[in-house]
Amino acid sequence: DRLKDVNDSYGHLIGDQLLVAVTTRMAAMMRHGDTLARLSGDEFVVVCEEVQSPAHAAAIGNRLVLALARPYVLTNIEVQISASVGLAYAEYGEHSAEQLLHEADTAMYQAKRHGGGRQHMFDTGLQHLSTPLASLESDLLAAITRGELRNEYQPIVSTADSRITGVEALVRWSHPDRGEIPATTLIPLAEQSDLISDIGHWALRRAWADLGRWQQAGGAEDVTVAVNVSAHQIVSETFLPQVRDILRDGSLRPDLLTLEITESVFLRNSDHASFALTELRDLGLKLALDDFGTGYSTLTYLKQFPVDIIKIDRSFIADLGMNRASNAVVLAIVQMAHSLGMTVVAEGIENSTQRDLVADMGCDFSQGFHFGKPAPADRIKELLQPHFQAHRAGALLALPHPRSAGS
Ligand code: C2E
Ligand code: MG
Ligand code: MG
């Protein structure tokens, strides 16, 4: 999965080393009589003869998935990747080689479709997917034109008084046959099939239009909307003009738009990324660094790139109060961000203990199920009404031990 990302981030020399390491690892797992072949850049085929049943084949698939997920130590760098394994099984003489390969290929795309890092056994129910990738792309393309995509919005509140100061747009896909497809599946799919630009553009336009409607309904004058942008989009040439066009029509202030990027943006092509981010920021919008602390990037990037907001990943918030190290890390991130002139959002606040701890540490803003789950645009419109907002602030003041937000 994502060999291309490794090549893009670290260069082809590292990509080649990774391929050799993957091959060596797989070769070590082969039994006498098995065949291992490389079909194309990132595709391998393993032929195992005399496998007793599909369940035995599945066990082999599982072993491969697990073995390939262990970290690879290459020259000066440790890389971790996952693999998608597609399995096809046939009794002796039942299938042609072409048919077996085709079924394995179809199953492999199913594994990728479910997020990669897993195996999938071909089942006859998949037979209608004669060209899996093409069908997947057309499903996704159709999703936009058929109106199957929608944005939900999650409140971001001021830590001091729980007022909603902004929302984050999170894309959702209702597939006609498969039901709700979560963002964690949809976005990687879109990135693999190059549809991320279309989907990202759609989500941004939609979010900006919804903010306009909330403003018209009243109570949302200074409310911001944050939209996630994938690394693929930032470096594409069409992105900047798209953002400029969106900001141009409508009467909303550009500083009400935040684009959320992840540290992976910096890994790709840092000169290009730096240039693209500076141009975006010149449009007057804000940039947030999402999931901070989970990527590979170093602190140098914080000096080099024009970021306004840091969002502390929820993995750090999850064990606040239980793990001294997490407390120390969060506090250090807040202090560092503040001394760099950035504001901080704590992600994934699920209870009042976490809420109080991040308030004590001086986090400016908070987001999480404790304050509100992602909700449809109309629900947000209601929540932004002045009486709702006053109620929220009032609810916090009524707490038994009000704490200072430290900012
Ligand atoms: P993210 O940007 O970090 O968004 C926050 C995710 O955490 C959301 O998941 C949200 O529902 C979830 N979350 C919020 N509060 C809590 C909490 O208190 N506890 C827990 N356990 N989870 C919480 P979701 O909606 O599944 O989105 C996942 C990711 O998909 C997002 O992570 C973002 O990276 C990506 N994504 C979503 N929409 C878009 C989009 O339009 N474009 C791009 N490029 N990526 C998107
Ligand atoms: Mg985000
Ligand atoms: Mg996040």
Side-chain angles (χ1 to χ4, degrees), residues 206-268:
R206 178 86 240 177
W208 201 236
D210 281 338
L211 182 64
R213 273 186 279 275
W214 298 328
Q215 279 209 350
Q216 273 169 10
E221 282 65 38
D222 294 314
V223 170
T224 59
V225 69
V227 179
N228 293 285
V229 179
S230 98
H232 302 59
Q233 281 172 275
I234 294 276
V235 290
S236 103
E237 278 165 19
T238 51
F239 188 62
L240 183 76
Q242 283 175 351
V243 178
R244 197 182 285 131
D245 282 352
I246 288 172
L247 288 176
R248 203 175 278 147
D249 46 67
S251 53
L252 301 171
R253 278 162 30 213
D255 66 314
L256 297 180
L257 178 65
T258 301
L259 297 181
E260 295 195 0
I261 55 172
T262 54
E263 292 162 291
S264 60
V265 169
F266 307 145
L267 285 178
R268 302 204 129 221

Side-chain angles (χ1 to χ4, degrees), residues 126 153 180 189 216-217 247 265 267 270-271 276 318 323 334 357 401:
L126 294 178
Y153 298 91
E180 286 294 306
L189 272 184
Q216 273 169 10
L247 288 176
V265 169
L267 285 178
S270 66
D271 287 345
N323 179 339
V334 174
L357 280 167
H401 301 291

Side-chain angles (χ1 to χ4, degrees), residues 303-316:
K303 286 195 308 191
Q304 197 178 331
F305 290 94
V307 172
D308 306 279
I309 302 159
I310 283 183
K311 299 189 76 173
I312 303 179
D313 189 67
R314 67 164 188 266
S315 55
F316 295 108

Side-chain angles (χ1 to χ4, degrees), residues 14 96 112 117 131 140 143 152 185-186 211 216 232 235 257 312 375 377 395:
I14 294 289
S96 68
K112 281 205 188 292
T131 47
L140 257 183
E152 287 196 339
T185 305
L186 163 62
L211 182 64
Q216 273 169 10
H232 302 59
V235 290
L257 178 65
I312 303 179

Side-chain angles (χ1 to χ4, degrees), residues 152-158 161-168 210-211 213-215 217-221 223-224 368-395:
E152 287 196 339
Y153 298 91
Q154 186 176 32
I156 298 173
V157 307
S158 150
D161 62 6
S162 283
R163 272 175 185 271
I164 301 176
T165 55
V167 294
E168 174 177 3
D210 281 338
L211 182 64
R213 273 186 279 275
W214 298 328
Q215 279 209 350
E221 282 65 38
V223 170
T224 59
F369 295 164
H370 177 71
F371 298 102
K373 293 201 166 166
D378 283 345
R379 176 70 187 142
I380 298 295
K381 186 168 82 186
E382 286 169 18
L383 291 177
L384 291 174
Q385 296 298 310
H387 62 278
F388 260 104
Q389 287 270 54
H391 171 73
R392 283 180 158 265

Side-chain angles (χ1 to χ4, degrees), residues 292-354:
F292 185 78
T294 56
Y296 299 95
S297 76
T298 71
L299 297 177
T300 2
Y301 293 120
L302 285 184
K303 286 195 308 191
Q304 197 178 331
F305 290 94
V307 172
D308 306 279
I309 302 159
I310 283 183
K311 299 189 76 173
I312 303 179
D313 189 67
R314 67 164 188 266
S315 55
F316 295 108
I317 306 298
D319 49 14
L320 275 186
M322 295 180 290
N323 179 339
R324 282 171 61 121
S326 281
N327 286 38
V329 169
V330 173
L331 187 61
I333 295 175
V334 174
Q335 288 170 346
M336 177 189 66
H338 284 169
S339 46
L340 288 166
M342 301 167 181
T343 55
V344 184
V345 181
E347 298 189 278
I349 303 284
E350 293 185 347
N351 55 51
S352 52
T353 313
Q354 292 163 349

